[in-house]
Structures are given as C-alpha cells and as structure tokens.
Amino acid sequence: MKKAMIHNKIKRIIYEELWSWFLFLLNWIPGRIGAYLRGTFLSLFFGKKGLRCKIKENVEIWKPKNLFIGNNCVIGRGNVLNCEGMLYLGNNVEIGPYVSIYTINHTTIISGMKSKLKTVEPVLIGNNVWIGTHSIILPGVTIGDNTIVAAGSVVTHSFGDDNVIAGVPAINIKNKVNNE
C-alpha cells in the first residue's frame, strides 16, 4: 500500500513538473501561432479538449487534468483557471482577458482559518457563452447556454440559459436591456 502511494506521488510530481515546463515554454509565444500552439500542446494535460481551441498568453491553469473544454473555445490572456474542483467549458466559449474562475474556496471565518478546510465545487459553463474581461466566477456556479457575462462581473450563483448577467454580485439584466 505504501509503495503504491509513493509511486502515485512520484507520478503526480513528474506530471506537475512537465505541466510547469510546457506552460513556461509556451506561455510567451505571441500572436495566433502561440495561441494555437498552446491550445494544441497544453491540451495534452487536460481532461478533455475539443477541436480548434486557442489559449492566449500568460494563462495560469491549476490542475489542468480537471479541465474539460468543448470545441471552438478561446481562453483570453492573463486568465486564472483554478480547476481543482473540475471546470467544464462547453462549445464556443470565449473568455475575455484577465478572467478568474475558481473551483475552490478557503474556509469561512465562522469555522476558523486554523482548520484550513476548503470547499471544492465544479464550475460548469454552457455552450455559446461569452465572459467579459476582469470577471470572476466562484465555485459551484453553472452558467447556462447562450449567456453573456458583462465585463467586471462577479458571478456568485448559477444562471440558466439565454441570459445577460452583470454586476457585483452578478444579476440577470436581460430584461432591463430588452426594455430599454
């Protein structure tokens, strides 16, 4: 039993080192060529990767094996994708620059920081979703198909299909947009 645990730990360390080196070497290649190279080679570490995905410069992805990407996705520059609790991106998802998506939260003040408890929850993003620059998506959130997340939004809870959401915290503003 102990030998298997050591073997698994060594495999995990090698995997994480390879990921770090691939990310370091590919992260600084500019332009379309760099985006396609990252989309091709970094995806070797993902849980699943669809066709024609582009990953822009300076993207930080934690636990890439828990990232599942559909077809025709674009991950903008400077993003932080924490995939510890699984991150699912549908088809035709475009994530603007400097977006943060988290699947893990630290303990609440009520339970105390010394306990170091963490909650891990998946994030699911549907098909045909656009996420604007500097948005933050928190653990446990589901964003339905055909949804726009306005720039600078903080998404703290789930939304269904066909929405336009904005604000801190984000709310559905589709009806407000259509009535004006």
Side-chain angles (χ1 to χ4, degrees), residues 25-133:
L25 294 172
L26 294 172
N27 225 358
W28 303 102
I29 302 171
R32 291 182 183 183
I33 292 173
Y36 284 111
L37 286 173
R38 280 183 292 279
T40 301
F41 290 109
L42 294 181
S43 65
L44 297 172
F45 294 87
F46 298 166
K48 175 190 171 281
K49 181 222 153 216
L51 302 171
R52 296 175 300 283
C53 293
K54 295 185 258 181
I55 301 173
K56 304 286 182 150
E57 301 90 358
N58 302 320
V59 172
E60 187 174 340
I61 302 172
W62 301 339
K63 303 283 185 185
K65 67 181 179 183
N66 296 337
L67 177 58
F68 299 85
I69 300 179
N71 298 324
N72 304 312
C73 290
V74 178
I75 298 174
R77 69 181 41 85
N79 284 307
V80 174
L81 305 179
N82 177 303
C83 305
E84 189 142 349
M86 304 290 187
L87 175 57
Y88 299 91
L89 305 178
N91 297 319
N92 307 308
V93 172
E94 292 196 30
I95 303 175
Y98 308 106
V99 170
S100 297
I101 301 175
Y102 297 101
T103 63
I104 187 167
N105 260 338
H106 291 283
T107 186
T108 61
I109 294 171
I110 295 168
S111 63
M113 292 301 288
K114 289 185 180 179
S115 66
K116 296 188 180 180
L117 294 174
K118 297 177 181 173
T119 57
V120 178
E121 297 179 81
V123 171
L124 293 88
I125 298 175
N127 299 314
N128 308 309
V129 173
W130 178 78
I131 302 172
T133 187

